[in-house]
Each structure stands twice: as C-alpha cells, then as structure tokens.
Amino acid sequence: MSPGILPGDPPGGRRALAVWGTGVSVYFVAVIFRTSLGVAGLDAADRFHVNASALSTFSILQLLVYAGMQIPVGLLVDRLGTKKVLALGAVLFTAGQLGFAFSPSYGTALASRALLGCGDALTFISVLRLGTRWFPARRGPLVAQFAGLVGMAGNLVSTLVLARLLHGIGWTAAFAGSAVAGAVVFVLVLLFLKDHPEGHEPEPLPHQGAAYVRRQIAASWREPGTRLGMWVHFTTQFPAMVFLLLWGLPFLVEAQGLSRATAGELLTLVVLSNMGVGMVYGQIVARHHEARLPIALATVGTTAVLWAATLAYPGEHAPMWLLIVLCTVLGACGPASMIGFDFARPANPPERQGTASGITNMGGFVASMTTLFAVGVLLDATGDDYGIAFSAVFVLQALGVSQILRLRKRAIRRERERLVASRVETVHVPA
C-alpha cells in the first residue's frame, strides 16, 4: 500500500481527474448562472421596474433556497449517487437561466431565480462527494480547494464575459445564450461521469424512508467534527459573500465615494485573491493538517481587524490602500470556509459524507443570508450609515468563534481516535 493511502482509499490518477473534471464543470456553470445577476442588477431594475429592496429579494431568495436545500441535497447524494444529482442540478439551473432570460415580469423572474437556486444547490455537495469517491483521503483538502477555485473562475466569467454580452447583445440573447452551457454540461455528465471507480462501490443502503433520513442527520450532527466544520464555514465565508453578492458595490460607491468602474475592479480583486489564496491554503492543509484551525481563526481575526479599520477610519473616506488590503483579505474568506469540510470529512464514514457536507455548507449561507438582511435593515434604520450596518459582521463572527472554541478539543480528539483506529486496521490487513 502506498504511503498515505488508507485501506479502501480510491487510487486517484488521470481517470479520477477526468471524471472529477466533468463533475466540477457542472459546478463551474452553476456559479456563472448564480452570479450572473451581480452584473445585471441595474438592467434587472429597469427591465422589471423595481426598486432596490425588490431587487435585493433576488439575492436573498436565492440564498434562502440554497441554504434550505443543503441537508436534503446531502441526503440525495448519499442515497442516489453523484451522477443523478448533478444531472438533475444541470436541468434545474439551466431551466432557471432560460426562464430568467424570457421572464416578462418580476414575479416570473423571481420564480426563475428560485429554480436556478435549487439546481445550483445540487452541485457543490455532489462535487465534494465525487472527490472523496475518486481521490485518496490525503488529497481531500486540495481537491476541495480546487473545486472552490473553479467556482471563483465561474464568478470571473460572469463578471468579465457575461457583462459584456449583456450590454452587447441584450438581456434575452445573453441569458438564453449562456443557458447553452448548462445543456452542454448535462450531456457531459450523462456520457462521462461515474459515481466511483471500479472496485470501490459503496455498500447498498436499503430504503428506510423517514427513519433513514432522521438517522443520517442525527448521526452526522452527533459528530463534533461535523458541527465544528459547520461553524468554521459559518464564521469564515459570509463577509466576502455579502460583499460580493450585494452590499460591496453600494458600500464602495455610496460610502467610499468611488466610481462604479473602480468599485468593480475592487470586487474583481476579491475574486482574484480568493483564487490565489485557495491554492496556498489547499497546499498547507494537505501537508499540515494541524494548521486547519489556526488558518481559519487567523482569517477571521484579520478580516475583523480590516473591517474595523475601514469602518472606523477618521477621514471622510478610507484611503485606497486600505480598501485594497480589505478586498485582498476578503478573498481569503472563501478558501478558509473550505476548511470546514476538512473537519466534517474525517468525522463521518463514506455513506454519510453527503449529509455531513450539506450540514457544513449550510453554515456559511445561513450566516450570509442573515447578514444580508441585517445590513439592509440597519441601513434603512440609520439613514444609510454603513458603519453601523456592517457592525452585524462582528456580531456573527463573535458567535461563530465562540462555537469553534467550544467544539475544537472534542472534534480534534475524536478525529485522532479515528486515525489511530484506521492505522491499527492497516497493520492487520493481510499482505
């Protein structure tokens, strides 16, 4: 047995990379569709004749659907396998993008974004599960970070390509044309994706209805590693998500006095930083597992310090160098959130990986949705005082850090016990 390969570990290799690449291409397209509204907000307001509050409902509804779907998606992946769930996801988010292209009213556009959110919700957990089925466990952190990196590449395509198409060929042609990518990845999944390599089939799970669902959720939740992973994801992801999805552009333009073009460049910097930091974090965690929690907490602390410095800056506007540093640090939030899965993954057996990942992934999106709503309410209540409104960030960070500190010892101790047990099994495996 090769060094670092545990009993039952899949071998990885080129075949694994090809299959995983097929799955991650679905996630790539889902992120393009998810973030397409970010470059079409003003056009959507004009097309559907809505104000800013109604426009923000698109983002909040999408996150609500996404977060609410995470545990059901985890159960679906554990029950049906990756191929069926990814294929269904591609159908749903493609239908949502097409519906958005041809929506004649605000109501139908809202329904289309909800449908897109359902399809999008099916993709990321499936890609994580595909990685655990095709690559050795020691590759898990790097594979997960690569998945996040591909997602951010989708965000860049949305920002740089779809925005130009939108203003070049118009609303309907741009959104309907982009939907072709969804049809392409659907065909790729049907033709090339396999749930697992030969000889690594999971044990069949008998259908047990609601009792099975309750047991899967309860068993995953009982593991301290699952809960720690959820709180790490909760605490690290949301500052950047809120900034990119809705409130970053208004903050930079209205509170900091920047032009829309300059503000857009800073948002792009967040995405580029995310891609660069993701590679670094993935390599560090893959080689030094004990660095997971220090990296996550350092990211939270640095983000809090930079936000506080920006909001409390004594001048009328924060200097550009400070905004650049803030956006660079916000780019580390996404990669840090992926560390949550590195706590949930070793805490659960293969048949619960989807459920545990769903619980973990729900954390960051619940935090993002809560902060999106809180910032909006506080802006309305204070007459657009961004300093007070963004104080919600510190409240949620404090809550998350308190839970991380409460769970960390139990989760790490349990993980070490599992590792020792697996090594004992390795010693007793016949040559």
Side-chain angles (χ1 to χ4, degrees), residues 10 33 39 62 68 107 150 159 161 163 178 189 207 233 239 295 311 337 349 351 356 374 401 408 418-419:
F33 290 1
V39 299
Q62 204 167 319
V150 171
T159 303
V161 178
S178 66
V189 167
H207 180 66
H233 199 269
I295 288 176
L311 297 175
S337 72
E351 63 271 15
V401 168
R408 73 189 193 285
R418 286 181 178 273
L419 183 59

Side-chain angles (χ1 to χ4, degrees), residues 224-276:
T226 304
R227 284 175 281 147
L228 178 60
M230 185 196 73
W231 283 109
V232 167
H233 199 269
F234 177 101
T235 314
T236 52
Q237 187 205 47
F238 78 92
M241 177 71 73
V242 168
F243 197 80
L244 286 172
L245 202 59
L246 188 59
W247 293 121
L249 189 68
F251 169 74
L252 294 171
V253 173
E254 296 178 3
Q256 300 302 319
L258 301 180
S259 67
R260 287 180 177 270
T262 303
E265 290 171 358
L266 287 174
L267 294 180
T268 303
L269 175 61
V270 177
V271 177
L272 292 174
S273 172
N274 184 298
M275 297 173 73

